[in-house]
Amino acid sequence: MGMFNGHFYPGLYLFSYGLYQATVVSKNVIFKESPPYPSCFPKNKTRWARLGKISYGGWLRIVIGSILTVYVVTCPDDGMVLMNKQMPPTFMYPKEWQHLTMFVLLILSGCVDVTSKNLLPRRCVVLEKGTLVLSFVELLLLMVSHVKGSEGIELQVHALVIMVVFLLLLVLMAELWAPDMSYLWMMETFLFLLMGSWLMQAGFILFRPLSGYPWQDDDIRDLMFVTTFFCWHLMINASCLLGIYGFSFLWHHYYSPSLKRMRSKEAPYHTSTPGPLYMMLQEVKQSEKDDQALLLSKTTL
């Protein structure tokens, strides 16, 4: 599982999820909406309305996690054996067991998401976010121990992954107390894009280098270019997120009728009767003008 597929396909899933999340977050920011957190699953709506409320993200986590779990279990030739039969017995396939734990966490996170959105009488957003935070805490612990025994290029690549996981964990924890902050949505989406693209890049660096020659652990130039490539991923993903937001803004501004309806509803607000604070300010300005006129008349006399 520690080969190319073990890095590329999880990265592809995370990057695809980040792209989907970028479109949703961009729409919410443009319309200044809160995240779509309905309190309960619709009971008396049409079939299409009910389909629109299904937790597709949760089911996708369950399906992807199950596929990756089956893959990692079938990778070893003699199966996923926990310990060998030697005396004294030793643990077998430690990295494969860590990968298996990560994918089981993905399945459990999807199950909680589906349960909260579609099975509970009222949706529990705190439960969803809390499960996601717990999953990333365990992922961070697994990643820290995952690099034991690594060196050179492999250590550098995984250290950058650990940094992204840590930053994403901080953002998710902040969302528990401030779930309506649009800046946190953007940061979370950006970090998912970065984590996914870098995992795909890690598969090529470690197992399928484009040059056809493996990277050299003792070459300082190779180590420096790992960090350089990561910085390129930062810029590319930031540009991708900005491009999705710009395209969404143009689309909803020129082609979406909902934005026009929202503007038509906001138009009477600007022509409404002035409030008491506005009238008070006008009275203050008028009194100041009277005082200035009185002072000017005294000086002329």
Side-chain angles (χ1 to χ4, degrees):
M1 185 60 190
M3 297 299 177
F4 176 80
N5 293 339
H7 292 78
F8 181 81
Y9 289 111
L12 180 62
Y13 162 73
L14 291 172
F15 186 76
S16 302
Y17 174 78
L19 290 177
Y20 165 75
Q21 193 71 7
T23 58
V24 175
V25 169
S26 297
K27 179 179 178 295
N28 291 334
V29 172
I30 291 170
F31 289 99
K32 297 180 181 180
E33 298 175 347
S34 298
Y37 294 151
S39 59
C40 59
F41 190 71
K43 299 294 184 181
N44 299 319
K45 295 295 186 69
T46 62
R47 179 181 302 177
W48 295 110
R50 292 174 63 87
L51 287 176
K53 299 298 182 180
I54 291 177
S55 175
Y56 294 105
W59 282 109
L60 184 61
R61 292 182 209 171
I62 295 174
V63 172
I64 297 296
S66 301
I67 293 174
L68 293 174
T69 299
V70 173
Y71 177 76
V72 71
V73 168
T74 56
C75 272
D77 296 333
D78 52 351
M80 285 290 291
V81 181
L82 182 61
M83 303 181 71
N84 59 18
K85 298 180 180 180
Q86 299 177 357
M87 296 302 294
T90 57
F91 289 104
M92 300 289 292
Y93 308 112
K95 291 191 174 182
E96 283 73 10
W97 279 103
Q98 288 188 338
H99 283 130
L100 180 62
T101 305
M102 296 176 189
F103 300 145
V104 170
L105 287 174
L106 183 63
I107 297 174
L108 293 178
S109 175
C111 290
V112 171
D113 197 69
V114 172
T115 301
S116 175
K117 292 179 179 179
N118 301 147
L119 299 180
L120 294 181
R122 296 183 63 85
R123 181 177 179 183
C124 185
V125 180
V126 177
L127 177 62
E128 299 173 23
K129 291 292 184 181
T131 304
L132 198 58
V133 169
L134 180 60
S135 300
F136 271 89
V137 169
E138 297 185 18
L139 178 61
L140 182 61
L141 295 175
L142 291 172
M143 288 298 302
V144 171
S145 64
H146 196 69
V147 298
K148 298 296 184 180
S150 302
E151 59 182 3
I153 299 296
E154 184 179 0
L155 179 60
Q156 183 79 355
V157 168
H158 285 92
L160 294 172
V161 176
I162 292 174
M163 182 187 69
V164 177
V165 172
F166 177 71
L167 293 175
L168 188 53
L169 175 60
L170 293 180
V171 173
L172 292 173
M173 292 179 66
E175 286 184 353
L176 285 174
W177 285 270
D180 296 333
M181 291 290 293
S182 59
Y183 299 108
L184 294 178
W185 309 341
M186 286 291 187
M187 292 172 62
E188 177 190 346
T189 303
F190 171 73
L191 290 173
F192 269 116
L193 287 171
L194 180 60
M195 185 177 176
S197 65
W198 184 244
L199 277 177
M200 290 189 289
Q201 179 73 59
F204 286 101
I205 292 177
L206 298 176
F207 305 106
R208 292 185 184 178
L210 299 179
S211 64
Y213 297 93
W215 291 54
Q216 301 299 319
D217 293 334
D218 55 352
D219 193 339
I220 189 63
R221 293 171 296 184
D222 287 358
L223 290 172
M224 292 175 65
F225 263 99
V226 169
T227 308
T228 302
F229 287 161
F230 182 79
C231 293
W232 291 357
H233 278 263
L234 284 170
M235 295 184 292
I236 293 172
N237 285 295
S239 301
C240 179
L241 183 59
L242 183 62
I244 292 174
Y245 175 80
F247 178 80
S248 300
F249 178 81
L250 293 176
W251 174 264
H252 292 295
H253 183 76
Y254 291 105
Y255 298 102
S256 177
S258 57
L259 186 60
K260 297 179 181 179
R261 288 197 301 268
M262 184 181 70
R263 287 183 174 180
S264 63
K265 291 179 181 179
E266 291 179 351
Y269 172 79
H270 299 285
T271 59
S272 58
T273 305
L277 181 59
Y278 176 80
M279 299 298 295
M280 187 182 298
L281 290 175
Q282 294 299 320
E283 293 176 359
V284 171
K285 289 182 180 179
Q286 185 63 34
S287 63
E288 289 178 354
K289 289 181 181 179
D290 295 339
D291 293 340
Q292 291 176 0
L294 181 60
L295 182 62
L296 182 61
S297 63
K298 289 181 179 180
T299 55
T300 55
L301 293 176

